[in-house]
Amino acid sequence: MYCKVLLLIQRCVKFGDYLSTALAGQKNDARIGQLPPLFTSPTGAMIALKTVCLSLLCIILLSLVASIAQAVSQRDAKANEGWWSARRDSSGIAPDPAKFARLAIVQVYAAPTYGWKGAVAVHPWIIFKRAGETHYSRYEVISWGSGDKVRRNSNLADGYWYGSRPRLLVDRRGPEAEALIPQIEAAIASYPWPTTYHAWPGPNSNTFIAHIGREVPDLRLDLPANAVGKDYRPIYRPIGLPPSGRGLQISLLGVAGVTLGAEEGFELNVLGLNVGLDFTPLRLRLPFIGGVGSDNLQEQ
């Protein structure tokens, strides 16, 4: 399978070379004759397109199966647990703010969402404190309730999210964190959709944290591929920065698009499902499960 993928990539490269030659008006270039049959006929090009589409579909379906299997394996432990009784105490990840009172801290967390949505998406939030403070401020977007969806200190800084242990995505401390906090507060204040929430394609909790990442690139935010809503952009501004704040993103309402970012690597978005390759660290970015490789969000 690996060899077939490499062969397909090589053929795509040769096809790109052919296209550049044709666009330059050199259709009789000898290199055209060197192209494999896969790309020298309409039938061959259609086969290549179908192969790519089928591969993407298989990746998406396998990711969904893996995510459902994980959810089922954890089902017994939560069988008698409703949202009102689900675990929401501290996970013990965040440093004790009283013990580290002299240290500025900024952290970003994400955890699988509650219920069936936890098999396909995550809920993120950001916490911070200045040097001298003995408590954290936690900001996130929550769907329920009327009015402003941006909530402050509605939950413990590093608390379980309705039974799901959070994963630390960003950890900045000291003078670096101190310098980030005013920028983060300005980004929170400038969030464009404070009273609007749509689980798909956005704006939602992932859209909120992605907005902060775009406004504060020094945060070096890397939201996982299953942070559904992170790519949401207004229809009148489809081109801009990715959630990491460094790179380029083209996205139509978060439903379709492509991202090339310093933290995200390369991502393709189809109907809000993201598939791609991250280079820092090297890993596959997959829908539903977040990714395969180092620092997979869904690892507990």
Side-chain angles (χ1 to χ4, degrees), residues 5-16:
V5 172
L6 287 179
L7 181 60
L8 181 60
I9 292 174
Q10 291 174 351
R11 289 175 174 176
C12 288
V13 171
K14 288 185 178 181
F15 184 54

Side-chain angles (χ1 to χ4, degrees), residues 142-161:
I142 296 177
S143 62
W144 54 84
S146 58
D148 200 336
K149 304 300 182 183
V150 179
R151 309 291 170 79
R152 179 178 182 271
N153 295 337
S154 293
N155 299 279
L156 294 178
D158 62 349
Y160 279 75
W161 183 249

Side-chain angles (χ1 to χ4, degrees), residues 47-230:
I47 292 175
L49 180 60
K50 288 182 178 179
T51 301
V52 172
C53 293
L54 183 60
S55 298
L56 287 174
L57 180 60
C58 289
I59 289 172
I60 290 172
L61 291 177
L62 288 173
S63 299
L64 177 59
V65 170
S67 185
I68 292 176
Q70 182 184 46
V72 170
S73 68
Q74 298 174 353
R75 189 175 182 179
D76 291 340
K78 302 179 180 180
N80 299 320
E81 186 179 78
W83 66 265
W84 57 89
S85 60
R87 187 174 180 179
R88 296 175 64 189
D89 60 307
S90 172
S91 63
I93 300 175
D96 185 336
K99 182 178 179 180
F100 292 89
R102 297 184 178 181
L103 189 67
I105 299 174
V106 173
Q107 293 185 326
V108 178
Y109 292 89
T113 56
Y114 179 75
W116 67 267
K117 291 188 293 183
V120 300
V122 297
H123 171 79
W125 63 90
I126 188 168
I127 69 171
F128 57 83
K129 77 171 200 68
R130 291 179 167 85
E133 295 180 339
T134 57
H135 64 276
Y136 290 105
S137 293
R138 168 171 167 162
Y139 285 89
E140 63 201 310
V141 159
I142 296 177
S143 62
W144 54 84
S146 58
D148 200 336
K149 304 300 182 183
V150 179
R151 309 291 170 79
R152 179 178 182 271
N153 295 337
S154 293
N155 299 279
L156 294 178
D158 62 349
Y160 279 75
W161 183 249
Y162 294 94
S164 296
R165 179 178 171 83
R167 178 68 180 267
L168 183 63
L169 301 183
V170 172
D171 187 9
R172 305 283 178 261
R173 306 187 187 190
E176 179 188 13
E178 193 76 52
L180 292 175
I181 292 174
Q183 302 176 51
I184 293 170
E185 291 177 324
I188 293 171
S190 67
Y191 180 58
W193 306 282
T195 61
T196 304
Y197 186 98
H198 299 293
W200 182 92
N204 56 30
S205 60
N206 289 299
T207 312
F208 173 67
I209 298 299
H211 170 76
I212 295 175
R214 291 186 180 97
E215 296 295 310
V216 191
D218 288 338
L219 194 61
R220 300 192 296 278
L221 176 66
D222 185 8
L223 286 171
N226 59 342
V228 178
K230 70 183 178 67

